[in-house]
Amino acid sequence: GLDWGPALADADAAALRAWQQAVLTLRRAAPPALPAPAARGGLMDLSAREREVLERIAAGDSNKLIARRFELSPHTVKRHVANILHKIAVDSRGQAAAWFREHGP
């Protein structure tokens, strides 16, 4: 153990030794199991419009271009994009595009 000398009261030194022992015990323990990843949805989990929007995302279109193409408001496209990301369990448009290339039509 560590010798703290007169710098710490006996009770404080005992508490530090207990913490040190706890840390050493935790370091030797197996890491906790990670939860299983969330199941990813498929194309059939998306509405027809969401599938169209996802196809345009994969083609590199911006929300503004998608809105013009389908005569939607930019807010509606933004909502579709958020729904798509949630349903296929990805965090970004780039990941959604990659997902579409792997799982698309």
Side-chain angles (χ1 to χ4, degrees), residues 13-70:
L16 281 175
R17 280 191 294 279
W19 277 102
Q20 180 186 27
Q21 186 58 46
V23 168
L24 293 172
T25 300
L26 287 172
R27 284 185 180 167
R28 287 189 294 265
L34 296 175
R40 290 181 178 235
L43 276 177
M44 299 316 297
D45 293 331
L46 303 176
S47 70
R49 179 63 84 194
E50 288 168 344
R51 287 192 297 271
E52 291 172 332
V53 170
L54 178 55
E55 186 173 359
R56 298 316 313 154
I57 290 170
D61 289 0
S62 66
N63 284 3
K64 189 174 185 178
L65 286 174
I66 295 168
R68 286 181 186 161
R69 180 181 189 102
F70 297 121

